[in-house]
Amino acid sequence: MKTKKLNQQVRGVLTIYLLLILVFIGMCISSESFRSLYNITNLLTQCVPLACVAMGQTLVIISGGIDLSVGSAISVCTAVAAKLLNTDNPAQIAFGAAAVVLTGVVVGAVNGLGINMLKVPPLITTLCTSTALSGVALWILPMAGGKINRVFARFVYQKWTIVSMPLLIMLALFLIMRTVLYHTRTGVDIYAIGRDRRIASTMGVDARRTSIKTYLLCGLCAGLTGLLLACRMRVGDPTCGTAYSMDSITASVVGGASMAGGVGLLSGTIAGAFLIGMLSNIMNNLAVNQFYQYVLKGGLLVVAMIVYSISNLLEVKRHEK
């Protein structure tokens, strides 16, 4: 049974990668500007922040939760970066970078504790956190500004043709998250509470602790994303993370994660993030109005949810027979 479900998820992920490759090849053939080395390098780099935060979102979704606060957390982290990384002192830069990531972890802890200790539903908790963090970001930095140390920013975003430091950071994060999800007891527990929290608890799984861990990891990913964005812009922006809440959910669901919980693969999330990033890049190259970009992302999410709902219904009917 588990093997069949896993095979089904793997097939879904392979489908997303096939679609990603076909869209990429199609655009390379049809657009000279798209297939330029400069654009491809920028595309790969620009997709990294979304891929990083979407990995954290995927863990939460697999556990049966959702995090609507990652966008605001990213904005707060860029504001903190602008305040702490405007220095030439290496020790202060190291402290500031750690503080930015830790800010995301603290947000994750607030969400995890609120959901599991106060028994407030994930949707409500993270929505409230998002609203509060939007105010905090504007309090720290009323408008885009501040400054990130140039040497540190260049180090974080250095490139070697199509390979870049952000890609290596994303790969390192993926390997860490993959190890947690597929090779530890925590990963088994995350899938268990996502499928059925009550049954998992009766089998000895500490559902509260496991859920809190997922929000902590999601906060870690949001903090790292905020640091990456701050280094890319070299300033802080109290609203730069707004789109990442919905985009991270879309990338996770398009990549095969089920909003019902218990289903999802990180490799699929990476493909979903890069597909969304590629479509945004294509529409920017074609000068498509941003309104239509939001419509496309929303449509992708709806289509993905419909497809996975239909596949689940077909699987249930197949087992009934």
Side-chain angles (χ1 to χ4, degrees):
M1 183 73 171
K2 289 183 179 179
T3 304
K4 286 183 179 179
K5 283 188 176 181
L6 182 59
N7 289 337
Q8 185 182 13
Q9 290 183 57
V10 171
R11 284 196 298 270
V13 169
L14 291 177
T15 302
I16 296 299
Y17 273 98
L18 178 61
L19 177 61
L20 181 66
I21 293 169
L22 289 175
V23 171
F24 178 78
I25 293 174
M27 284 307 302
C28 285
I29 294 172
S30 61
S31 173
E32 184 177 349
S33 61
F34 182 86
R35 65 174 177 263
S36 67
L37 181 61
Y38 175 79
N39 183 65
I40 292 174
T41 302
N42 281 341
L43 172 63
L44 292 174
T45 304
Q46 290 168 4
C47 291
V48 167
L50 177 56
C52 289
V53 70
M55 281 190 272
Q57 186 75 258
T58 299
L59 293 184
V60 171
I61 290 175
I62 291 173
S63 72
I66 194 168
D67 192 345
L68 298 179
S69 69
V70 291
S72 297
I74 290 169
S75 296
V76 169
C77 288
T78 65
V80 172
K83 291 292 185 180
L84 298 181
L85 295 177
N86 185 15
T87 177
D88 294 325
N89 187 310
Q92 291 180 6
I93 291 173
F95 169 79
V100 171
V101 177
L102 184 60
T103 299
V105 175
V106 170
V107 173
V110 171
N111 286 330
L113 291 172
I115 291 165
N116 292 281
M117 299 302 180
L118 302 180
K119 301 297 184 182
V120 181
L123 187 68
I124 303 300
T125 300
T126 57
L127 184 60
C128 292
T129 305
S130 176
T131 304
L133 289 174
S134 296
V136 172
L138 289 170
W139 174 69
I140 297 174
L141 205 65
M143 63 183 70
K147 189 177 180 182
I148 308 298
N149 180 274
R150 179 182 299 179
V151 175
F152 178 71
R154 284 181 176 177
F155 170 76
V156 172
Y157 265 82
Q158 61 183 309
K159 301 174 182 177
W160 306 275
T161 61
I162 64 171
V163 180
S164 64
M165 183 64 78
L167 274 175
L168 296 179
I169 292 173
M170 183 199 74
L171 178 60
L173 181 64
F174 171 75
L175 293 175
I176 292 171
M177 292 296 179
R178 186 180 185 278
T179 300
V180 171
L181 194 57
Y182 307 138
H183 299 288
T184 67
R185 175 60 187 270
T186 297
V188 175
D189 292 347
I190 289 173
Y191 277 103
I193 66 172
R195 291 191 182 97
D196 194 308
R197 190 173 180 124
R198 287 187 301 174
I199 293 177
S201 297
T202 60
M203 296 177 66
V205 175
D206 191 331
R208 285 185 181 180
R209 182 181 298 177
T210 302
S211 178
I212 291 172
K213 286 180 181 178
T214 64
Y215 283 97
L216 287 172
L217 290 170
C218 187
L220 173 69
C221 292
L224 182 60
T225 301
L227 182 62
L228 288 171
L229 286 177
C231 289
R232 187 171 78 185
M233 299 182 297
R234 289 201 56 223
V235 295
D237 187 339
T239 61
C240 70
T242 303
Y244 280 89
S245 291
M246 185 56 66
D247 284 357
S248 64
I249 296 170
T250 304
S252 299
V253 175
V254 169
S258 170
M259 294 296 289
V263 174
L265 295 173
L266 291 176
S267 53
T269 297
I270 298 294
F274 274 79
L275 180 61
I276 292 171
M278 187 184 301
L279 291 174
S280 296
N281 182 271
I282 292 168
M283 289 186 286
N284 287 334
N285 279 340
L286 298 175
V288 176
N289 190 296
Q290 195 172 20
F291 164 77
Y292 295 106
Q293 296 189 29
Y294 283 115
V295 171
L296 177 62
K297 290 175 184 177
L300 270 176
L301 180 58
V302 171
V303 170
M305 292 181 70
I306 291 173
V307 169
Y308 291 121
S309 294
I310 292 173
S311 64
N312 286 336
L313 287 174
L314 291 175
E315 185 182 0
V316 170
K317 288 183 178 179
R318 192 180 302 117
H319 288 308
E320 286 177 351
K321 292 179 180 179

